[in-house]
Amino acid sequence: MSQPFRLDSGGAIDRSIRLGFSFDGRSYEGHGGDTLASALIANGVKLVGRSFKYHRPRGIVSAGPEEPNALVGLRTGARAEPNTRATMVELYDGLVAESQNRWPSLAFDLGAVSNLISPLFPAGFYYKTFMWPPSAWLFYERFIRKAAGMGKAAMLPDPDHYEHRFAHCDVLVIGGGPAGILAAREAARSNARVILVDERAAMGGAFRFERLEIDGMPARIWAETEVAALGTMPEVRLLPRTTAFGYYDHNEVALVERVADHLAVPPPHTARQRLWHVRAKQVVLATGAIERPLVFANNDTPGVMLASAVRRYLGEYAVVPGRLVVVATNNDDAYLTALDLAAAKTVVATVIDARPRPTGSLIEATRRAGIAILAGHVVIAAAGGRGLKQIQTGRIDDAGRIVGSGPRLAADLLAVSGGWTPTIHLHSQSGGKLRFDEALAAFVPDAAKQACRVVGAANGTLTLAAGLAEAAAAGAEAARACGFGSGQPGPLPAVPLEESGRVRALWQAGEGKARAKQFVDLQDDVTVNDVALAHRENFRSVEHLKRYTTLGMGTDQGKTSNLAGLAILAELRGEPIAAVGTTTFRPPYTPVALGTLVGPEVGLHVEPIRRTPMHDWHVAHHALMYETGPWLRPRAYPKPGESFDDAWLRETLAVRGGVGLVDVSTLGKIDVQGPDAAEFLDRIYCNTYKTLAVGRARYGLMLREDGIVFDDGTTSRLSETSFYMTTTTASAAKVMSHLEYYLQVVWPELKVAVTSITEQWAQMALAGPRCRAVLERAVTGCDVGNTALPYMGVRDGKIAGIPVRIFRLSFSGELAYEIGAPADYGTAVWEALLEAGAALRIVPYGLEAMGTMRIEKGHVAGPELDGRTTPGDLGLGRMVSKKKPFVGSRLLERPALQDPGRMSLVGLVPADGTSKIRAGAQLIAEHGVPPLPMLGHVTSVTGSPSLGHPIALALLKGGLSHKGRTVIAAVPMLNESVVARVVEPVFYDPEGARLHA
């Protein structure tokens, strides 16, 4: 298959490997070592996408992670991945790619009409347009969301898996170019543990394509030799295809390794990508620099590329992106591109240099190659639509103003270079400072906050010899700082002599008022006029400019655009660029797949299903299982032909009138032991435990440090030094962490050990007026009579020969017992109780009946313990001890938490006796002029079969001071409201006679 723009020789590709791929349904061919971008260029594909806002034709601009245009969708089905930079995608056989943000096709995109009517969509138009009328926002939102973004994410579950790894090293070197290789070599010479990271498949950086000799050998060979030598060192880890995307406190750097992205499908048991958390004693940043494009009219025309990218495609991939080339520059580096193109027998028509009198060896070599140099000129416009055809030049004066027109030049490739911007992202993320270097016309690293050194082009050192010397010294010094070596680098490689002329800062060519668009940010379609409009509307801060215009907010994060935008804003403000400053550099440096961040902690790996010891029994008896957090619990046990509502109503009435059995094994259970256990519990709970007698239980409240209720539960004293604590199901793990924190950090002097025993114990509650009769038939070795086992008493006994612990506790408001048994024997005890109660018509009941009974009894649970309530709010203020300090005691005394006007617990019944009150409903006054303030909200609701009407618990401002009055429980989204009467929150057996029976 023909590749018309591929050279017959050269490059680092493997021509013996032919790789077939498709782009927008059309088949092409590339070679081993290609990227998708280089393969597309080799096949003559110039149009690769449409722009974000105006749907203008866009082509490949760069050859690296800074690519703003060539965002493509990869693969199909569940493995589809949007917004991937074609410049960083390694080609493999069978790769499927497609362009994005166009319809019905890339060549004919109806969305391009937005370019024709673009005056209607200036920067920030949506902030103004969609504010009125306010009621129309939900209508607007549908269309805005459809228009947002570029590619479409897959809707199917990701079939790949991802890994997380953690590593420590002495010296972490980020960047596998010549500076990074030398820094790693010098650090490794002293036996320091070194990790060398580079985002490309092959390390070497610019040495992969530059025509240089290092130590008498081609630069690429030198780099490959050095990397191979590093790979043999036992203390060195090489991580190619790995991007350092975040630099955090304490020298922690986050890396993403693309383990199998260069393969059609990851091999079995192989992660697609791997997230590394690396903690390094010293970090060396050798991240290089990013070439800046030039700003002129229609500078987004396909065929306008960065000069260094053209050179990389030529030298590394043996691809010529054009036949008739013009080079436009304001610095010496682009002359290397002109010379490399000429050496490849490509016609270089002209080098356009913004500097009036460029001099130096590269300029002279260019002239000797027969390439014309047009000095003191700039490109002011490009023309060509879907592919570059012509450029217009202009003459500039010493102040950079256009003072006359220059020649029009035919070209199908314009290689531009606006200077180099050091890649300072990681340095800034680490807390390092920046300063503006006038000679480079760029921000460069200044003082570092962490143990970090920046070297080479990333430090603004753009000459090779100086950069290598800087890198070698930094590697040796970093190793010495870790206790290895003397800090003196070894001999430096021999490199050719260089001279570099000064860059001429050039931020835009022509006036911002030009009719044709001059793009500052290619990815987000931000123009010079947009920046000027933001300034006119007083968005003078660079952070405001970014958000108002979206400058630098794309997947490229402004790598090629930020500095030009800052410079144009500075000019409009009449201030130096240094005074304007930069936006905040945040992770990630380049986009990271969500799957990589999550890693293996998905599905059951992050939220495993937990089953109680009696789970199989529940399933066998047709329980409707319900997820409550990580647990599966029975919601009800419908009989054949019985609906869910019929089932839980039957179960509730059966417990109220007879006896029922419910599985409460999911309660958190914590063993608290030690000579200071009682003292510890006194400090943890707001009520007192030192006075609790052995063989007795007590209901307790834990508070947070701010005085808000954290959790509730019962704790039983088994001996002078041993307690058995239960917590709510939802907070079991949080309570355990809470206890451990206070024992390890706040009160390490206390002699107490806490152990989670949730999994070791099955627990079940036997409730109802006949439950004592059932328990007496089942238990041996223990008197469960009212005198021997009073309310809140604890005794040990046996059921079916199995040792059990019996707690006389009640969540339902009925006479009740909780029975704890070893988990392996939970089902046996459960069945023994059911057998003992068969003659008394015992029923198993589920969550719905249990929840109904606790609401009838006014017991608080999760909806009331919402992280905002105090003991007083819940009607439990009498439990708070005034005789001892405890966690939260001081802040609980704050006036705002003692205010009688706070929302506190009340009961609600519908005024008409039948209307259902909805959970979450807002409580408002029955009379008044809208809008009425919210007085509270409904927390828990049920239709009470015992009372014969709906009831609810709620938190209401002023609480029971409103008793007897009516409020409205309103749900505006559903246009629903119910008039409700405020009553006591204990609806059923308020005297407690039944549970004390």
Side-chain angles (χ1 to χ4, degrees):
M1 188 179 293
S2 173
Q3 298 178 43
F5 289 84
R6 179 85 71 184
L7 299 179
D8 294 333
S9 61
I13 58 171
D14 188 342
R15 288 176 171 79
S16 67
I17 299 176
R18 293 182 175 272
L19 304 174
F21 70 100
S22 69
F23 179 69
D24 279 353
R26 185 172 177 179
S27 296
Y28 298 97
E29 192 175 83
H31 293 296
D34 264 325
T35 63
L36 175 59
S38 67
L40 289 172
I41 293 172
N43 285 276
V45 178
K46 288 194 172 183
L47 182 60
V48 296
R50 292 280 178 163
S51 69
F52 169 68
K53 185 175 177 182
Y54 300 122
H55 289 249
R56 289 166 66 98
R58 290 290 168 84
I60 295 166
V61 169
S62 76
E66 68 273 20
E67 176 58 39
N69 286 348
L71 300 182
V72 299
L74 292 183
R75 300 180 290 274
T76 59
R79 300 194 70 243
E81 181 182 10
N83 301 327
T84 305
R85 293 151 293 152
T87 53
M88 298 300 291
V89 174
E90 292 181 61
L91 196 67
Y92 57 79
D93 195 50
L95 183 146
V96 176
E98 65 175 8
S99 55
Q100 303 181 148
N101 202 40
R102 79 291 186 276
W103 186 84
S105 69
L106 181 58
F108 180 69
D109 179 15
L110 289 177
V113 69
S114 62
N115 187 52
L116 300 177
I117 59 174
S118 59
L120 299 177
F121 306 116
F125 79 95
Y126 35 84
Y127 296 128
K128 306 166 187 174
T129 307
F130 302 117
M131 295 298 291
W132 186 90
S135 59
W137 169 250
L138 293 177
F139 172 77
Y140 296 142
E141 185 183 28
R142 288 179 293 170
F143 299 97
I144 293 171
R145 290 192 180 279
K146 280 187 177 181
M150 296 283 286
K152 295 181 179 179
M155 301 302 291
L156 300 171
D158 189 345
D160 297 328
H161 74 274
Y162 304 83
E163 292 179 351
H164 286 179
R165 285 195 182 175
F166 298 83
H168 292 77
C169 65
D170 296 310
V171 182
L172 172 64
V173 181
I174 301 173
I181 291 172
L182 206 57
R185 185 185 80 176
E186 292 304 314
R189 285 175 63 243
S190 59
N191 291 322
R193 292 176 301 163
V194 176
I195 297 178
L196 175 59
V197 172
D198 191 76
E199 61 191 345
R200 296 184 184 270
M203 296 186 182
F207 279 13
R208 299 280 301 168
F209 62 89
E210 296 285 20
R211 295 190 302 148
L212 296 171
E213 282 204 353
I214 309 298
D215 276 347
M217 67 182 80
R220 185 189 306 151
I221 302 302
W222 179 89
E224 291 172 351
T225 302
E226 291 291 334
V227 171
L230 284 170
T232 65
M233 296 183 178
E235 297 295 338
V236 174
R237 184 195 296 270
L238 301 177
L239 289 178
R241 297 189 178 98
T242 302
T243 300
F245 68 84
Y247 195 148
Y248 304 96
D249 292 341
H250 310 294
N251 258 24
E252 181 181 2
V253 181
L255 319 172
V256 55
E257 180 185 3
R258 293 174 293 280
V259 179
D261 278 3
H262 59 294
L263 305 173
V265 177
H269 313 297
T270 300
R272 179 196 159 203
Q273 293 185 358
R274 184 177 293 129
L275 178 67
W276 290 80
H277 294 274
V278 179
R279 189 85 68 177
K281 294 180 181 177
Q282 296 284 320
V283 174
V284 178
L285 297 178
T287 48
I290 297 170
E291 193 169 26
R292 297 190 292 267
L294 297 173
V295 180
F296 51 86
N298 297 324
N299 59 328
D300 64 331
T301 304
V304 179
M305 297 179 65
L306 294 176
S308 61
V310 171
R311 197 155 76 246
R312 179 180 282 272
Y313 286 120
L314 183 65
E316 186 168 359
Y317 304 108
V319 167
V320 184
R323 302 295 190 194
L324 181 58
V325 186
V326 171
V327 177
T329 186
N330 63 355
N331 63 88
D332 282 3
D333 189 79
Y335 284 88
L336 291 171
T337 301
L339 291 170
D340 285 4
L341 287 166
K345 309 301 181 186
T346 300
V347 175
V348 182
T350 308
V351 174
I352 303 168
D353 197 327
R355 298 172 296 183
R357 291 168 293 278
T359 60
S361 59
L362 287 176
I363 288 82
E364 294 306 315
T366 302
R367 290 194 174 102
R368 288 196 301 272
I371 301 171
I373 298 175
L374 189 61
H377 284 69
V378 294
V379 176
I380 60 174
R386 296 179 191 169
L388 182 67
K389 295 179 181 177
Q390 189 182 72
I391 61 172
Q392 172 66 53
T393 65
R395 185 163 49 87
I396 59 174
D397 62 13
D398 290 342
R401 296 186 295 264
I402 305 294
V403 294
S405 62
R408 291 179 180 271
L409 301 172
D412 64 353
L413 173 63
L414 175 61
V416 300
S417 179
W420 291 85
T421 301
T423 308
I424 53 179
H425 301 67
L426 295 177
H427 170 79
S428 298
Q429 290 174 19
S430 73
K433 301 298 183 181
L434 302 174
R435 62 180 176 83
F436 190 77
D437 189 313
E438 295 288 349
L440 293 177
F443 284 96
V444 298
D446 200 4
K449 183 179 179 181
Q450 302 194 52
C452 170
R453 295 168 168 80
V454 190
V455 299
N459 197 39
T461 307
L462 299 183
T463 56
L464 180 58
L468 292 180
E470 189 173 76
E477 290 166 4
R480 182 186 59 79
C482 299
F484 299 90
S486 65
Q488 296 300 314
L492 296 174
V495 299
L497 295 175
E498 306 164 87
E499 53 181 271
S500 180
R502 187 183 175 94
V503 64
R504 179 178 186 178
L506 182 65
W507 307 116
Q508 67 178 99
E511 299 297 327
K513 299 176 183 178
R515 186 176 182 84
K517 292 180 174 62
Q518 303 178 62
F519 288 97
V520 180
D521 187 326
L522 292 169
Q523 185 165 113
D524 291 312
D525 277 354
V526 180
T527 66
V528 172
N529 285 342
D530 292 331
V531 178
L533 176 63
H535 176 262
R536 289 198 303 273
E537 298 199 355
N538 208 35
F539 290 93
R540 297 168 58 85
S541 162
V542 293
E543 296 287 3
H544 293 164
L545 170 70
K546 175 178 179 178
R547 284 150 184 83
Y548 189 67
T549 65
T550 69
L551 176 72
M553 291 179 67
T555 62
D556 67 336
Q557 287 292 287
K559 291 179 175 62
T560 59
S561 62
N562 269 359
L563 190 54
L566 301 177
I568 293 170
L569 179 64
E571 185 177 345
L572 292 168
R573 286 172 49 173
E575 297 176 343
I577 298 174
V580 172
T582 66
T583 53
T584 304
F585 293 88
R586 297 185 180 93
Y589 169 68
T590 52
V592 179
L594 293 177
T596 307
L597 296 176
V598 173
E601 289 83 21
V602 296
L604 298 181
H605 290 287
V606 68
E607 200 171 53
I609 293 176
R610 302 179 73 179
R611 298 174 174 86
T612 72
M614 288 79 85
H615 175 84
D616 291 343
W617 189 96
H618 302 319
V619 172
H621 289 77
H622 313 293
L624 291 176
M625 302 307 291
Y626 185 72
E627 288 188 20
T628 54
W631 292 92
L632 281 178
R633 302 184 68 181
R635 195 176 182 194
Y637 300 83
K639 293 182 177 180
E642 191 177 43
S643 70
F644 165 68
D645 285 339
D646 291 340
W648 71 262
L649 288 169
R650 171 182 54 78
E651 292 168 9
T652 304
L653 292 174
V655 175
R656 292 292 189 213
V659 60
L661 186 65
V662 64
D663 185 352
V664 293
S665 301
T666 61
L667 292 173
K669 308 173 196 72
I670 299 173
D671 181 72
V672 183
Q673 292 194 37
D676 296 323
E679 171 66 23
F680 174 60
L681 293 175
D682 258 13
R683 298 182 187 184
I684 285 292
Y685 283 111
C686 69
N687 48 326
T688 304
Y689 275 85
K690 279 184 180 178
T691 58
L692 182 64
V694 174
R696 301 287 290 178
R698 182 167 290 167
Y699 174 70
L701 281 179
M702 292 183 193
L703 307 188
R704 301 187 318 215
E705 290 185 346
D706 60 0
I708 298 298
V709 174
F710 176 52
D711 194 54
D712 71 338
T714 59
T715 296
S716 306
R717 191 164 198 167
L718 306 181
S719 72
E720 287 298 322
T721 59
S722 176
F723 293 80
Y724 178 88
M725 177 190 293
T726 62
T727 74
T728 59
T729 297
S731 296
K734 290 187 290 185
V735 170
M736 186 65 191
S737 296
H738 181 73
L739 302 180
E740 289 179 327
Y741 168 78
Y742 277 93
L743 283 175
Q744 295 176 25
V745 177
V746 183
W747 306 313
E749 73 281 2
L750 293 183
K751 297 176 181 178
V752 181
V754 292
T755 306
S756 173
I757 53 174
T758 301
E759 303 286 356
Q760 281 66 43
W761 284 85
Q763 198 143 316
M764 56 212 80
L766 189 65
R770 297 180 180 177
C771 70
R772 183 181 290 127
V774 174
L775 190 59
E776 287 174 337
R777 295 182 184 188
V779 72
T780 60
C782 174
D783 183 355
V784 295
N786 196 40
T787 303
L789 184 53
Y791 181 61
M792 301 300 279
V794 182
R795 296 290 184 272
D796 289 339
K798 289 185 178 182
I799 295 177
I802 300 165
V804 296
R805 183 164 292 146
I806 303 169
F807 309 84
R808 187 171 168 189
L809 309 169
S810 179
F811 192 59
S812 61
E814 298 291 341
L815 172 65
Y817 302 87
E818 288 188 12
I819 298 98
D824 290 347
Y825 298 92
T827 301
V829 173
W830 174 273
E831 290 177 335
L833 288 169
L834 290 174
E835 182 179 351
L840 298 174
R841 297 186 178 181
I842 189 171
V843 297
Y845 65 98
L847 286 172
E848 202 70 22
M850 185 172 70
T852 294
M853 287 185 282
R854 77 94 183 165
I855 296 171
E856 290 175 340
K857 191 59 180 173
H859 288 159
V860 296
E864 291 75 43
L865 308 179
D866 64 356
R868 295 177 290 181
T869 50
T870 67
D873 299 339
L874 301 174
L876 302 173
R878 289 174 298 176
M879 292 181 61
V880 179
S881 173
K882 305 295 184 183
K883 300 179 180 179
K884 67 181 180 74
F886 52 86
V887 174
S889 58
R890 181 59 60 86
L891 293 184
L892 183 60
E893 297 172 358
R894 288 176 293 174
L897 296 190
Q898 300 297 323
D899 184 354
R902 284 177 58 83
M903 287 194 293
S904 58
L905 189 70
V906 298
L908 296 176
V909 295
D912 61 9
T914 59
S915 296
K916 293 182 178 180
I917 302 171
R918 193 178 294 271
Q922 300 177 16
L923 300 181
I924 57 176
E926 188 176 6
H927 304 289
V929 179
L932 296 171
M934 193 175 91
L935 302 177
H937 64 276
V938 178
T939 57
S940 303
V941 299
T942 189
S944 170
S946 305
L947 303 175
H949 59 76
I951 59 174
L953 297 177
L955 292 168
L956 177 67
K957 288 183 178 179
L960 288 173
S961 66
H962 300 285
K963 183 178 176 180
R965 300 176 188 172
T966 55
V967 293
I968 293 178
V971 185
M973 294 292 288
L974 299 176
N975 195 28
E976 178 181 293
S977 62
V978 175
V979 179
R981 189 172 68 256
V982 179
V983 299
E984 291 281 349
V986 183
F987 299 92
Y988 183 81
D989 185 30
E991 297 81 12
R994 297 178 71 90
L995 62 88
H996 289 285

